[in-house]
Amino acid sequence: MSAAGGGGAGTGGARGRRDAVALRLEGVRKSFGPLEVLRGIDLEVGEHEVVCLIGASGSGKSTLLRCMDLLEPIDSGRIVVHGEEITAPGVDVDRVRRRIGIVFQAFNLFPHMTVLRNVTLAPEKVLRKDPREAEAEALALLERFGLADKRDEYPDRLSGGQQQRVAIIRALAMRPDVLLLDEVTSALDPELIAEVLDVIRELARQGMTMVIATHEMGFAREIADRVCFLDGGVILEEGPPERIFSAPREPRTREFLRRIVEAGRL
Amino acid sequence: MRPPGAPVEPGPLPAPPGDRRARLLGGGRPRREGARGVAVAVASTAVFFTAAAVVISRSPGWPAIRAAFFHGGVFVESFPKVLERFGRNVFIFSVAEVLVLVLALVIAVLRTLPGPVFFPLRLLATAYADLFRGVPTILVIALLGFGMPALRLSGVPSSDTFWAIVALVLVYSAYVAEVYRAGIESIHPSQAAAARALGLSRAQSLRYVILPQAVRRVVPPLLNDFIGLQKDSALVAFLGGVTEGLRQAQIIVAATFNFTPYVVLALIYVAITIPMTRLVDWLVARERAQRETGTAL
């Protein structure tokens, strides 16, 4: 969208090209009881684009991501993935979710399964892959992100950083078109954050389309093609990270960033 | 008939009834004060039971009681007969337990189905649970055991054993379904969200993610209900048509005017129940230990 003027295009070099739209939100609204959390969200995410959602706690970032994966039904508006409206009545939500991966703040690994089984479950049961093929692919992913030696461990034997990396691998094993990351480092001890961010950097390099809700402003500035500032349930301002972080236009954005700087987070 | 202690209501899980006892018995407690503690326990136990034995055996009615309930000759003679007939109870409760495990799970899953479409199923499952938890087990056994064969429908079995099993399955499935449901509801919704987000259907996420975790949590309360079921297999004696343990004991009592066979049967029940309660205690302790190492990391 060009709401904030020229956002998106041309940033981040070749990766920033917006040749096709992966995900489009039009006037998305969502209330929980009397509380209207999303008050008309318009957002377009190009293929291979990395969009970071920033904003204070309660600004609607997590809800927005959960709506994109249909984990929360929206009240009005439309969500379109690669040209298909996934919020239309009668859409098979299970089929939609195969194309969209989401990683949660609290990892949500399955505690009764080994690391390997966590990763192979959905490819086997949902994509009906041959178990040996699913296992080979899972092992290749674990290998790539340095977790091959943990294949037979149970999640509670891993550090938070390792658990979150497994959760990301679990989502990747479904080969999603879009990956949604919901504050994936917020539950981690500071020394474990870097290993998770490295994984996300690697994915961005390979052209994974991602929407990332984050409090890590330095990381957002580094990795995002576009940054969206959420405030009061709307995208108040969006644009390339250099502009949003160095020359925000909206007073609310300026105040949010000032508080972040004061807290030493930027 | 049955003390209402056995059923476990849904609530914070695990609700381990053996938990406190296991701790009082010294399971897993610090070992340093162990030797002295054991000595004190042995001494106080010996004193208590000696005193109890003295008081009871000195009571004026004791010789009569001993002859009526603890008659050595009757004991020796009735034990093999009662034990043999107790095999029928073992058959009844074993078959019933397997069926309860399945039927209760079906009912529990029905009760957790979401949305207005499934309202009739939820309603049926709820009505079922309410009905069979409300009616005393012995009445269910009597109504089915006397009533169904009297219909004389062709194809309807008339065997007392059959209807006893049906009655026990109906009553205990209602309890065990609640145990399962408490287990299902104790699994955090984020687990279902993670499963559904991966594209698993509702049924798949239930089968692969929710139920394996839920069932593991409810094994102790579930075994508790099975102890109740095993004891309630004695209620079949009420039907009279099947000579199981209690019926056999009654027959000998009637013939000898001696109550020792009841004591024999009581001892047999205790002998099969104690290993089960110890198993429950052990499972509870193990689960707690696992949880503690899990959170320590």
Side-chain angles (χ1 to χ4, degrees):
Chain A
M1 299 302 282
S2 53
T11 62
R15 282 200 45 256
R17 279 187 303 119
R18 309 259 311 270
D19 35 17
V21 176
L23 180 68
R24 194 171 72 241
L25 281 73
E26 298 169 7
V28 168
R29 287 176 174 271
K30 172 71 186 172
S31 300
F32 292 106
L35 183 69
E36 192 169 31
V37 180
L38 302 179
R39 300 190 299 147
I41 298 279
D42 295 302
L43 178 68
E44 210 170 271
V45 181
E47 249 177 61
H48 312 303
E49 193 183 16
V50 176
V51 172
C52 282
L53 307 175
I54 62 169
S57 297
S59 59
K61 305 186 296 290
S62 290
T63 305
L64 183 57
L65 291 180
R66 291 176 68 87
C67 286
M68 289 180 195
D69 203 20
L70 303 181
L71 290 171
E72 301 286 352
I74 61 173
D75 298 334
S76 64
R78 277 158 43 92
I79 302 177
V80 180
V81 177
H82 282 294
E84 184 195 352
E85 187 189 343
I86 61 171
T87 44
V91 165
D92 178 359
V93 293
D94 294 332
R95 199 172 50 79
V96 169
R97 292 200 184 107
R98 276 174 226 169
R99 304 165 57 189
I100 304 177
I102 186 165
V103 182
F104 304 93
Q105 181 177 340
F107 330 138
N108 300 357
L109 292 176
F110 306 134
H112 60 300
M113 296 178 185
T114 62
V115 164
L116 186 62
R117 191 66 188 139
N118 263 279
V119 180
T120 58
L121 178 73
E124 262 182 46
K125 303 302 174 192
V126 179
L127 304 179
R128 310 243 169 252
K129 273 192 184 156
D130 176 74
R132 257 168 307 182
E133 189 192 340
E135 187 174 315
E137 288 184 17
L139 282 174
L141 279 169
L142 289 169
E143 188 83 48
R144 199 169 113 201
F145 295 107
L147 287 164
D149 58 324
K150 304 292 181 192
R151 52 175 283 179
D152 295 323
E153 292 281 12
Y154 284 86
D156 63 6
R157 307 282 301 172
L158 304 181
S159 74
Q162 289 167 337
Q163 288 191 53
Q164 193 58 293
R165 280 148 66 203
V166 172
I168 294 173
I169 290 169
R170 183 174 69 173
L172 288 177
M174 292 296 286
R175 300 180 182 280
D177 295 339
V178 181
L179 189 62
L180 311 174
L181 302 170
D182 185 7
E183 304 202 11
V184 291
T185 58
S186 298
L188 297 177
D189 292 335
E191 75 271 20
L192 302 176
I193 291 175
E195 61 185 74
V196 173
L197 296 186
D198 281 343
V199 170
I200 302 170
R201 271 188 205 102
E202 167 75 13
L203 294 177
R205 250 198 309 280
Q206 287 161 7
M208 175 64 77
T209 310
M210 288 188 281
V211 182
I212 306 173
T214 185
H215 285 298
E216 300 287 329
M217 296 303 152
F219 179 68
R221 183 169 200 162
E222 167 203 332
I223 199 171
D225 296 311
R226 195 151 42 104
V227 173
C228 299
F229 173 67
L230 263 77
D231 188 67
V234 295
I235 296 177
L236 199 60
E237 182 168 5
E238 65 175 294
E242 301 79 45
R243 196 189 62 63
I244 295 283
F245 287 113
S246 45
R249 285 170 195 157
E250 296 290 333
R252 298 278 298 168
T253 318
R254 256 179 253 144
E255 196 199 321
F256 172 73
L257 290 173
R258 186 176 55 75
R259 270 185 282 132
I260 294 285
V261 170
E262 278 170 7
R265 299 290 292 268
L266 183 64
Chain B
M1 278 294 138
R2 184 163 62 93
V8 177
E9 295 298 325
L13 274 176
D19 195 356
R20 203 168 69 88
R21 197 165 34 158
R23 206 161 48 230
L24 291 176
L25 284 176
R29 289 295 104 188
R31 303 269 148 101
R32 237 179 304 155
E33 303 167 34
R36 191 155 164 269
V38 168
V40 171
V42 167
S44 72
T45 309
V47 168
F48 174 81
F49 282 105
T50 310
V54 167
V55 168
I56 290 170
S57 62
R58 291 278 172 88
S59 65
W62 173 243
I65 291 290
R66 193 177 57 186
F69 286 89
F70 303 98
H71 191 287
V74 177
F75 188 98
V76 171
E77 200 189 327
S78 63
F79 184 84
K81 288 180 188 161
V82 174
L83 184 64
E84 188 207 330
R85 289 299 170 175
F86 184 73
R88 183 103 306 231
N89 298 71
V90 174
F91 173 76
I92 289 171
F93 69 64
S94 302
V95 174
E97 281 171 357
V98 173
L99 296 176
V100 164
L101 280 178
V102 179
L103 179 63
L105 187 59
V106 171
I107 293 161
V109 169
L110 287 183
R111 287 195 74 172
T112 58
L113 288 178
V117 183
F118 294 112
F119 180 75
L121 284 178
R122 280 202 304 274
L123 184 74
L124 271 178
T126 309
Y128 166 84
D130 286 355
L131 179 65
F132 282 101
R133 284 192 300 164
V135 182
T137 311
I138 194 162
L139 284 182
V140 178
I141 289 177
L143 290 171
L144 290 177
F146 292 133
M148 298 306 282
L151 287 175
R152 295 199 201 163
L153 286 171
S154 61
V156 172
S158 61
S159 130
D160 281 351
T161 304
F162 176 85
W163 288 111
I165 290 173
V166 171
L168 288 172
V169 168
L170 287 175
V171 169
Y172 275 89
S173 292
Y175 286 111
V176 174
E178 290 304 290
V179 171
Y180 274 134
R181 193 167 68 110
I184 291 170
E185 284 171 1
S186 77
I187 305 300
H188 198 273
S190 63
Q191 285 287 308
R196 300 303 304 279
L198 286 166
L200 271 75
S201 67
R202 224 197 85 84
Q204 283 176 324
S205 76
L206 198 62
R207 174 166 165 210
Y208 297 114
V209 176
I210 309 298
L211 285 182
Q213 297 183 60
V215 169
R216 220 162 291 190
R217 274 188 209 186
V218 300
V219 166
L222 195 140
L223 288 182
N224 259 330
D225 274 358
F226 277 3
I227 291 170
L229 190 155
Q230 291 173 3
K231 291 191 294 181
D232 274 1
S233 71
L235 298 178
V236 181
F238 191 64
L239 294 179
V242 46
T243 313
E244 46 69 74
L246 180 55
R247 192 88 191 105
Q248 179 63 52
Q250 282 173 337
I251 290 168
I252 304 174
V253 167
T256 60
F257 301 105
N258 189 290
F259 295 111
T260 304
Y262 289 154
V263 176
V264 167
L265 183 60
L267 288 176
I268 293 173
Y269 269 108
V270 169
I272 63 154
T273 307
I274 284 180
M276 196 100 153
T277 51
R278 287 290 83 79
L279 178 66
V280 173
D281 286 351
W282 181 75
L283 287 171
V284 169
R286 194 186 61 161
E287 213 225 0
R288 191 177 50 208
Q290 278 174 349
R291 250 202 333 272
E292 277 164 10
T293 55
T295 50
L297 279 162

